[in-house]
Amino acid sequence: MRKPIVAGNWKMHKNIPEAIELANGIKRGVLDLHNLDIVLCPPFTALSAVYDIIADSNIQLGAQDVYWQEQGAFTGEISVGMLKDVGCRFVIVGHSERRQYFFETNETVNRKIKSVLRANIIPILCVGETLPQREENKTLEIIKEQVFGGLKDIPAAEAEKIVIAYEPVWAIGTGRNATPVQAEEVQKYIRNLLSEMYNTSIAEAVRIQYGGSVKADNIEELINQPNIDGALVGGASLKEDSFTQIIKVCAKGEN
Ligand code: PGA
């Protein structure tokens, strides 16, 4: 049985006082839920402040990106060591916005994942097709390139720890989520790819989240799919009520 994992990707939202308020609200709302992983990914500037609030709770800290070098003359970048410093246990890697606006490739994603694993942090590897790719029936081909490329040369023992987030680009921030059937089809395919790359026990162990317009009123039908093990939530993670509601639905039956 895979432990569900729900992560809130705050993107470039919330200054420090706002982040503190939101983290406090979520903490109060999910106090009694223990059999799932709850992760908050605020912007870099609020990581430390949020860590102080959640350090003694059932919520863990994640970052939204990282650079693969340990240190050096890389102006503007943040290393895994720095993320560990502020208490991060998770980091999102290869989000479609990074791929789209900041020229992230499967190769840079792979480098990042390797450095994150070396530091014993859990990467959340994001994959997903654009709308034109889906319309041209290229979804599975793109997903295969992203999964194989992102996990290239990563040994089985390490791969097992990774979380994968399937996020169709056309569903992100659009209010148009993938249907449970669409999401399940791709997520089952990702598990089959893991089985091909490694073996069935690794494939069965890896948690695969769905992301893209997840809301309190659509999470239930998504999480009920056999290969959906949680959610990566953007917009709905910025409000205490909707995010705690999503977490509670994912925790149902687990406590
Ligand atoms: P959304 O974003 O929930 O606002 O669609 C999801 C994401 O980008 O991770």
Side-chain angles (χ1 to χ4, degrees), residues 59-84:
I59 304 177
Q60 302 176 78
L61 191 67
Q64 299 173 17
D65 189 28
V66 67
Y67 191 53
W68 62 80
Q69 297 280 359
E70 281 171 26
Q71 60 180 354
F74 304 103
T75 302
E77 294 298 325
I78 302 281
S79 71
V80 279
M82 291 165 180
L83 295 185
K84 274 195 111 163

mmCIF file of all heavy atoms in Angstrom, residues 59-84:
data_model
loop_
_atom_site.group_PDB
_atom_site.id
_atom_site.type_symbol
_atom_site.label_atom_id
_atom_site.label_comp_id
_atom_site.label_asym_id
_atom_site.label_seq_id
_atom_site.Cartn_x
_atom_site.Cartn_y
_atom_site.Cartn_z
ATOM 1 N N ILE A 59 3.580 18.099 8.890
ATOM 2 C CA ILE A 59 3.765 18.706 7.567
ATOM 3 C C ILE A 59 5.260 18.827 7.274
ATOM 4 O O ILE A 59 6.042 19.148 8.173
ATOM 5 C CB ILE A 59 3.117 20.113 7.514
ATOM 6 C CG1 ILE A 59 1.640 20.029 7.902
ATOM 7 C CG2 ILE A 59 3.271 20.733 6.134
ATOM 8 C CD1 ILE A 59 0.946 21.384 7.957
ATOM 9 N N GLN A 60 5.629 18.546 6.043
ATOM 10 C CA GLN A 60 7.038 18.623 5.663
ATOM 11 C C GLN A 60 7.250 19.741 4.645
ATOM 12 O O GLN A 60 6.321 20.185 3.981
ATOM 13 C CB GLN A 60 7.481 17.283 5.077
ATOM 14 C CG GLN A 60 7.255 16.134 6.071
ATOM 15 C CD GLN A 60 7.603 14.788 5.460
ATOM 16 O OE1 GLN A 60 8.761 14.443 5.363
ATOM 17 N NE2 GLN A 60 6.589 14.057 5.030
ATOM 18 N N LEU A 61 8.529 20.147 4.548
ATOM 19 C CA LEU A 61 8.854 21.289 3.699
ATOM 20 C C LEU A 61 9.440 20.845 2.352
ATOM 21 O O LEU A 61 10.243 19.911 2.306
ATOM 22 C CB LEU A 61 9.866 22.179 4.432
ATOM 23 C CG LEU A 61 10.138 23.550 3.835
ATOM 24 C CD1 LEU A 61 8.908 24.446 3.932
ATOM 25 C CD2 LEU A 61 11.322 24.221 4.546
ATOM 26 N N GLY A 62 9.046 21.534 1.294
ATOM 27 C CA GLY A 62 9.610 21.261 -0.026
ATOM 28 C C GLY A 62 9.942 22.559 -0.728
ATOM 29 O O GLY A 62 9.369 23.608 -0.421
ATOM 30 N N ALA A 63 10.886 22.492 -1.681
ATOM 31 C CA ALA A 63 11.205 23.663 -2.503
ATOM 32 C C ALA A 63 10.644 23.433 -3.902
ATOM 33 O O ALA A 63 10.213 22.334 -4.237
ATOM 34 C CB ALA A 63 12.720 23.864 -2.541
ATOM 35 N N GLN A 64 10.674 24.495 -4.697
ATOM 36 C CA GLN A 64 10.065 24.412 -6.035
ATOM 37 C C GLN A 64 11.082 24.152 -7.139
ATOM 38 O O GLN A 64 10.713 23.871 -8.275
ATOM 39 C CB GLN A 64 9.325 25.713 -6.345
ATOM 40 C CG GLN A 64 8.198 26.002 -5.381
ATOM 41 C CD GLN A 64 7.590 27.373 -5.621
ATOM 42 O OE1 GLN A 64 7.771 27.982 -6.678
ATOM 43 N NE2 GLN A 64 6.874 27.873 -4.639
ATOM 44 N N ASP A 65 12.360 24.269 -6.800
ATOM 45 C CA ASP A 65 13.410 24.054 -7.797
ATOM 46 C C ASP A 65 14.744 23.989 -7.067
ATOM 47 O O ASP A 65 14.828 24.324 -5.871
ATOM 48 C CB ASP A 65 13.414 25.210 -8.820
ATOM 49 C CG ASP A 65 14.322 24.933 -10.006
ATOM 50 O OD1 ASP A 65 14.539 23.750 -10.348
ATOM 51 O OD2 ASP A 65 14.837 25.904 -10.606
ATOM 52 N N VAL A 66 15.789 23.584 -7.775
ATOM 53 C CA VAL A 66 17.122 23.483 -7.194
ATOM 54 C C VAL A 66 18.127 23.489 -8.340
ATOM 55 O O VAL A 66 17.750 23.200 -9.483
ATOM 56 C CB VAL A 66 17.223 22.165 -6.375
ATOM 57 C CG1 VAL A 66 17.149 20.936 -7.285
ATOM 58 C CG2 VAL A 66 18.476 22.112 -5.518
ATOM 59 N N TYR A 67 19.380 23.813 -8.032
ATOM 60 C CA TYR A 67 20.431 23.684 -9.051
ATOM 61 C C TYR A 67 21.303 22.493 -8.684
ATOM 62 O O TYR A 67 21.423 22.145 -7.518
ATOM 63 C CB TYR A 67 21.262 24.974 -9.103
ATOM 64 C CG TYR A 67 22.187 25.023 -10.289
ATOM 65 C CD1 TYR A 67 21.703 24.824 -11.578
ATOM 66 C CD2 TYR A 67 23.555 25.247 -10.125
ATOM 67 C CE1 TYR A 67 22.549 24.856 -12.670
ATOM 68 C CE2 TYR A 67 24.414 25.291 -11.216
ATOM 69 C CZ TYR A 67 23.899 25.091 -12.484
ATOM 70 O OH TYR A 67 24.733 25.114 -13.571
ATOM 71 N N TRP A 68 21.929 21.853 -9.689
ATOM 72 C CA TRP A 68 22.612 20.587 -9.406
ATOM 73 C C TRP A 68 24.023 20.727 -8.852
ATOM 74 O O TRP A 68 24.557 19.796 -8.289
ATOM 75 C CB TRP A 68 22.625 19.686 -10.645
ATOM 76 C CG TRP A 68 23.360 20.252 -11.821
ATOM 77 C CD1 TRP A 68 24.709 20.263 -12.018
ATOM 78 C CD2 TRP A 68 22.776 20.884 -12.958
ATOM 79 N NE1 TRP A 68 24.996 20.868 -13.214
ATOM 80 C CE2 TRP A 68 23.838 21.255 -13.823
ATOM 81 C CE3 TRP A 68 21.465 21.177 -13.350
ATOM 82 C CZ2 TRP A 68 23.631 21.894 -15.034
ATOM 83 C CZ3 TRP A 68 21.256 21.814 -14.561
ATOM 84 C CH2 TRP A 68 22.333 22.166 -15.385
ATOM 85 N N GLN A 69 24.644 21.920 -9.013
ATOM 86 C CA GLN A 69 25.997 22.082 -8.476
ATOM 87 C C GLN A 69 25.935 22.299 -6.964
ATOM 88 O O GLN A 69 24.976 22.862 -6.463
ATOM 89 C CB GLN A 69 26.681 23.288 -9.117
ATOM 90 C CG GLN A 69 26.892 23.148 -10.611
ATOM 91 C CD GLN A 69 28.104 22.284 -10.961
ATOM 92 O OE1 GLN A 69 28.817 21.799 -10.086
ATOM 93 N NE2 GLN A 69 28.327 22.094 -12.247
ATOM 94 N N GLU A 70 26.997 21.853 -6.275
ATOM 95 C CA GLU A 70 26.979 21.985 -4.807
ATOM 96 C C GLU A 70 27.208 23.412 -4.338
ATOM 97 O O GLU A 70 26.644 23.852 -3.338
ATOM 98 C CB GLU A 70 28.037 21.074 -4.198
ATOM 99 C CG GLU A 70 27.549 19.642 -4.144
ATOM 100 C CD GLU A 70 28.623 18.660 -3.755
ATOM 101 O OE1 GLU A 70 29.584 19.055 -3.070
ATOM 102 O OE2 GLU A 70 28.493 17.499 -4.167
ATOM 103 N N GLN A 71 28.102 24.130 -5.036
ATOM 104 C CA GLN A 71 28.349 25.541 -4.734
ATOM 105 C C GLN A 71 29.145 26.149 -5.868
ATOM 106 O O GLN A 71 29.570 25.422 -6.760
ATOM 107 C CB GLN A 71 29.115 25.687 -3.414
ATOM 108 C CG GLN A 71 30.452 25.009 -3.411
ATOM 109 C CD GLN A 71 31.185 25.188 -2.088
ATOM 110 O OE1 GLN A 71 30.747 25.908 -1.205
ATOM 111 N NE2 GLN A 71 32.317 24.548 -1.951
ATOM 112 N N GLY A 72 29.353 27.459 -5.825
ATOM 113 C CA GLY A 72 30.186 28.072 -6.853
ATOM 114 C C GLY A 72 29.586 29.336 -7.428
ATOM 115 O O GLY A 72 28.622 29.891 -6.894
ATOM 116 N N ALA A 73 30.155 29.780 -8.533
ATOM 117 C CA ALA A 73 29.744 31.032 -9.158
ATOM 118 C C ALA A 73 28.551 30.782 -10.080
ATOM 119 O O ALA A 73 28.699 30.663 -11.300
ATOM 120 C CB ALA A 73 30.922 31.624 -9.929
ATOM 121 N N PHE A 74 27.391 30.625 -9.471
ATOM 122 C CA PHE A 74 26.154 30.378 -10.227
ATOM 123 C C PHE A 74 25.092 31.352 -9.723
ATOM 124 O O PHE A 74 24.166 30.976 -8.989
ATOM 125 C CB PHE A 74 25.707 28.921 -10.064
ATOM 126 C CG PHE A 74 26.775 27.934 -10.471
ATOM 127 C CD1 PHE A 74 27.518 27.258 -9.513
ATOM 128 C CD2 PHE A 74 27.067 27.732 -11.814
ATOM 129 C CE1 PHE A 74 28.525 26.393 -9.883
ATOM 130 C CE2 PHE A 74 28.081 26.853 -12.196
ATOM 131 C CZ PHE A 74 28.815 26.187 -11.226
ATOM 132 N N THR A 75 25.263 32.589 -10.076
ATOM 133 C CA THR A 75 24.427 33.679 -9.563
ATOM 134 C C THR A 75 22.933 33.367 -9.651
ATOM 135 O O THR A 75 22.440 32.999 -10.712
ATOM 136 C CB THR A 75 24.749 34.977 -10.329
ATOM 137 O OG1 THR A 75 26.133 35.256 -10.163
ATOM 138 C CG2 THR A 75 23.921 36.151 -9.807
ATOM 139 N N GLY A 76 22.291 33.488 -8.541
ATOM 140 C CA GLY A 76 20.841 33.313 -8.517
ATOM 141 C C GLY A 76 20.392 31.895 -8.224
ATOM 142 O O GLY A 76 19.199 31.655 -8.039
ATOM 143 N N GLU A 77 21.314 30.949 -8.186
ATOM 144 C CA GLU A 77 20.910 29.556 -8.001
ATOM 145 C C GLU A 77 20.978 29.119 -6.537
ATOM 146 O O GLU A 77 21.627 29.753 -5.707
ATOM 147 C CB GLU A 77 21.790 28.638 -8.866
ATOM 148 C CG GLU A 77 21.595 28.837 -10.359
ATOM 149 C CD GLU A 77 20.177 28.528 -10.833
ATOM 150 O OE1 GLU A 77 19.549 27.601 -10.291
ATOM 151 O OE2 GLU A 77 19.706 29.220 -11.751
ATOM 152 N N ILE A 78 20.321 28.008 -6.252
ATOM 153 C CA ILE A 78 20.225 27.474 -4.886
ATOM 154 C C ILE A 78 20.597 25.990 -4.947
ATOM 155 O O ILE A 78 20.071 25.254 -5.794
ATOM 156 C CB ILE A 78 18.761 27.592 -4.380
ATOM 157 C CG1 ILE A 78 18.259 29.042 -4.394
ATOM 158 C CG2 ILE A 78 18.589 26.947 -3.006
ATOM 159 C CD1 ILE A 78 18.716 29.910 -3.262
ATOM 160 N N SER A 79 21.480 25.547 -4.062
ATOM 161 C CA SER A 79 21.926 24.147 -4.094
ATOM 162 C C SER A 79 21.097 23.268 -3.153
ATOM 163 O O SER A 79 20.382 23.772 -2.286
ATOM 164 C CB SER A 79 23.392 24.062 -3.667
ATOM 165 O OG SER A 79 23.487 24.316 -2.276
ATOM 166 N N VAL A 80 21.268 21.952 -3.309
ATOM 167 C CA VAL A 80 20.547 21.037 -2.408
ATOM 168 C C VAL A 80 20.981 21.229 -0.962
ATOM 169 O O VAL A 80 20.156 21.118 -0.041
ATOM 170 C CB VAL A 80 20.740 19.540 -2.785
ATOM 171 C CG1 VAL A 80 19.833 19.139 -3.907
ATOM 172 C CG2 VAL A 80 22.166 19.197 -3.078
ATOM 173 N N GLY A 81 22.289 21.528 -0.775
ATOM 174 C CA GLY A 81 22.781 21.749 0.588
ATOM 175 C C GLY A 81 22.050 22.915 1.241
ATOM 176 O O GLY A 81 21.708 22.873 2.429
ATOM 177 N N MET A 82 21.796 23.942 0.454
ATOM 178 C CA MET A 82 21.093 25.125 0.978
ATOM 179 C C MET A 82 19.644 24.768 1.318
ATOM 180 O O MET A 82 19.093 25.254 2.310
ATOM 181 C CB MET A 82 21.139 26.256 -0.042
ATOM 182 C CG MET A 82 22.547 26.816 -0.213
ATOM 183 S SD MET A 82 22.666 27.812 -1.707
ATOM 184 C CE MET A 82 24.384 28.306 -1.597
ATOM 185 N N LEU A 83 19.056 23.913 0.498
ATOM 186 C CA LEU A 83 17.668 23.496 0.783
ATOM 187 C C LEU A 83 17.614 22.679 2.071
ATOM 188 O O LEU A 83 16.697 22.812 2.881
ATOM 189 C CB LEU A 83 17.098 22.679 -0.380
ATOM 190 C CG LEU A 83 16.917 23.414 -1.713
ATOM 191 C CD1 LEU A 83 16.231 22.509 -2.724
ATOM 192 C CD2 LEU A 83 16.116 24.697 -1.532
ATOM 193 N N LYS A 84 18.617 21.810 2.251
ATOM 194 C CA LYS A 84 18.671 21.010 3.480
ATOM 195 C C LYS A 84 18.817 21.905 4.701
ATOM 196 O O LYS A 84 18.194 21.691 5.737
ATOM 197 C CB LYS A 84 19.875 20.062 3.433
ATOM 198 C CG LYS A 84 19.574 18.776 2.723
ATOM 199 C CD LYS A 84 20.637 17.752 3.009
ATOM 200 C CE LYS A 84 20.081 16.646 3.877
ATOM 201 N NZ LYS A 84 20.931 15.462 3.858
#
